[in-house]
Amino acid sequence: MKTFADIVRENDEQNKPLPVESVKEAAKSVTAENDRSRNFIMFGLPEATIEKDDDVITQTENLFQKLNCKTPYSKIEHAHRVGYKKSGINRPVKVTLKSSDSVQYVLRRAHKLRQVEGYFSSVYLAPDRSREERLKHKNLVTEMKELMRRDTSKHYFIRDNRVMSVDKDEEDDDIIIIG
């Protein structure tokens, strides 16, 4: 039978303090994720030859008007182009809003851009993802495209980091989870 001192000694060895580096890394990760949740990325927004951040903010505000976003949700803190300028290529725009709820509100309304006349119909909105999240999403898109190629009778989409499908012919909203 173990004594109380033996049990305390075993637990003391298991409960060693965490290294400072791992605590700093965890805090850095949480902070980065929190900052990223207030951002979204716009792809396909036409770029002028000479463009300032104010021009990008004005274009973003026009986009919000097309989406019928209400004023508290469309408070833009910052918007700027990302990447190196190349002729003939529209760089993505990183937009920072007041809160992560605002970003979710805008992203939920993004599908309405396809119905808008003009150059906003070719604009695509996406959440700001980390490198690992982008890689995972890219793999999901590849998997979804392969499934679409094999079976055209279903409508495939990505939700909650999974590929899902619905029969095109059926009126039911029976969602089938693929993976």
Side-chain angles (χ1 to χ4, degrees):
M1 181 181 340
K2 292 183 181 181
T3 65
F4 180 73
D6 293 335
I7 295 173
V8 169
R9 197 173 304 115
E10 284 177 12
N11 286 337
D12 189 41
E13 291 173 5
Q14 292 174 356
N15 295 325
K16 292 181 182 177
L18 294 172
V20 175
E21 294 82 26
S22 66
V23 173
K24 284 182 181 178
E25 188 64 33
K28 186 177 176 182
S29 172
V30 168
T31 303
E33 184 63 34
N34 189 28
D35 289 345
R36 192 172 283 115
S37 71
R38 294 180 34 232
N39 303 330
F40 69 90
I41 309 293
M42 284 193 295
F43 297 95
L45 191 67
E47 185 171 2
T49 53
I50 300 174
E51 185 176 68
K52 298 177 183 171
D53 283 349
D54 290 341
D55 298 335
V56 175
I57 290 173
T58 303
Q59 283 183 316
T60 306
E61 288 170 345
N62 291 340
L63 177 120
F64 285 165
Q65 287 177 355
K66 297 289 183 185
L67 290 176
N68 294 325
C69 290
K70 295 174 179 61
T71 306
Y73 289 107
S74 61
K75 176 70 176 139
I76 301 168
E77 288 190 357
H78 189 70
H80 65 278
R81 297 267 177 188
V82 180
Y84 297 109
K85 188 169 185 145
K86 296 178 185 175
S87 74
I89 296 178
N90 295 325
R91 294 178 293 165
V93 176
K94 181 177 178 179
V95 180
T96 303
L97 299 180
K98 195 172 185 173
S99 71
S100 59
D101 291 338
S102 300
V103 170
Q104 292 304 314
Y105 177 79
V106 170
L107 291 174
R108 278 194 305 270
R109 300 176 77 78
H111 69 279
K112 295 183 178 193
L113 288 174
R114 303 292 166 255
Q115 302 158 358
V116 174
E117 295 292 324
Y119 65 82
F120 285 125
S121 64
S122 64
V123 173
Y124 171 71
L125 305 183
D128 187 11
R129 295 183 174 107
S130 67
R131 185 178 304 263
E132 295 83 22
E133 290 171 330
R134 285 193 303 265
L135 181 62
K136 186 174 181 180
H137 189 263
K138 183 179 179 180
N139 291 338
L140 285 171
V141 169
T142 304
E143 177 186 347
M144 183 179 71
K145 285 181 179 180
E146 179 61 28
L147 289 168
M148 289 169 58
R149 189 185 61 74
R150 281 192 268 152
D151 185 6
T152 58
S153 67
K154 296 184 180 195
H155 172 72
Y156 293 94
F157 56 95
I158 297 172
R159 184 177 293 160
D160 297 329
N161 293 320
R162 294 183 292 189
V163 177
M164 299 182 173
S165 71
V166 174
D167 285 336
K168 287 182 179 178
D169 299 335
E170 292 184 18
E171 294 295 320
D172 277 348
D173 287 336
D174 293 334
I175 296 176
I176 300 170
I177 299 171
I178 308 293

